[in-house]
Amino acid sequence: MKKAIVILLFIVSTAYYPTGTTQAGNQLPEWEVKAEEGDGGVEIELTASNNTPDKMILEFPSSQFFDYIVMDHSGKEVYRYSDNKAFLPAVQRITLKSGEQKIWQSKWDHSSSYGQRIPPGEYMVEAFLQVKQVNGKPVEKRIGQTMKLTIEEQNPSFKNVKMVSSGNSYCVRGQAKVSAGSFYYTVEDGHNILKEETMVKVNKESPNWSKFEFCFDLGRDEIAKNRPVLLNLYERDLEDGTVHHNYTVEVK
């Protein structure tokens, strides 16, 4: 599925404690970070889980429960979540029962701390749980997770494309910036065209972004093969009809 786009490799950073130190009965929350492309940026989900049989009381020194930074391939920081944000400087506590989770959601719009969109390339994201005590005992080192992130070049004609399915019907929503006020789509599985080329009109022409929505039907037997089914969005040149700015979404 081609999306402007995020490829993740998770590397869990576990807390280390000196010999003889007991950390809340060796009980710490599990920390998980997920990210996927959404409307206007990368949607980040951060989860602290209590997978122990006992209750956990997490204590934070302020209302900042998490932080994350984005670094380029040289290790230079290009974005920090907490920059230019104000947090309440008072102790906060979260109680997690056995098996319970606390989930936070954030969004990063690919901008640097200076407000400019970062260029395509390889990046590293470090996300931390800002907890300082668990069940009254200090956490000696931040609980964190690092992930490798690849940002691809933004498609000039399509963005924020999402697909929703219901039975045999598939509806596609997004934004398009197209010179002719229209674009085309096909559906294929790499060998067969399942939906012939169809035109979709939008309300505005380039250089304006315009929202679009269209739906199509597809039999379940057509996507039950061992080949991926792909929806292709593209423009056609007004003079010679050539295809350009192709954007591909996997049909699931």
Side-chain angles (χ1 to χ4, degrees), residues 90-105:
V91 172
Q92 308 287 312
R93 293 182 179 86
I94 294 175
T95 299
L96 296 179
K97 298 177 183 178
S98 177
E100 192 173 11
Q101 296 179 327
K102 174 63 179 178
I103 299 175
W104 296 273
Q105 294 182 328

Side-chain angles (χ1 to χ4, degrees), residues 32-69:
E32 183 180 16
V33 182
K34 297 180 180 179
E36 64 177 8
E37 197 73 11
D39 290 339
V42 179
E43 295 176 353
I44 299 174
E45 184 178 273
L46 308 103
T47 305
S49 302
N50 178 7
N51 293 326
T52 75
D54 303 313
K55 177 177 69 176
M56 280 188 186
I57 300 175
L58 311 183
E59 184 174 301
F60 301 81
S62 73
S63 61
Q64 182 185 0
F65 299 111
F66 63 87
D67 203 358
Y68 58 86
I69 60 175

Side-chain angles (χ1 to χ4, degrees), residues 145-160:
Q145 187 175 72
T146 302
M147 53 192 180
K148 187 177 281 188
L149 179 70
T150 301
I151 302 295
E152 295 186 359
E153 188 172 359
Q154 187 178 32
N155 189 293
S157 297
F158 305 99
K159 69 178 182 178
N160 301 332

Side-chain angles (χ1 to χ4, degrees), residues 163-246:
M163 180 183 297
V164 178
S165 63
S166 177
N168 295 333
S169 180
Y170 296 83
C171 289
V172 183
R173 302 180 181 89
Q175 291 176 275
K177 184 172 65 174
V178 289
S179 57
S182 62
F183 64 90
Y184 300 85
Y185 77 87
T186 61
V187 180
E188 49 92 10
D189 65 1
H191 294 272
N192 304 298
I193 299 297
L194 306 179
K195 292 296 175 184
E196 297 291 340
E197 181 177 86
T198 303
M199 176 188 288
V200 178
K201 293 184 178 181
V202 296
N203 293 328
K204 299 177 183 179
E205 295 183 0
S206 177
N208 300 298
W209 286 99
S210 182
K211 293 183 179 179
F212 68 82
E213 180 177 353
F214 63 88
C215 300
F216 60 89
D217 293 330
L218 199 65
R220 302 305 298 180
D221 58 329
E222 294 181 285
I223 64 172
K225 303 173 184 177
N226 293 324
R227 295 191 297 266
V229 174
L230 304 175
L231 166 70
N232 299 306
L233 310 178
Y234 53 90
E235 288 190 80
R236 279 199 179 277
D237 188 274
L238 294 176
E239 295 183 359
D240 60 19
T242 56
V243 171
H244 56 102
H245 301 159
N246 189 75

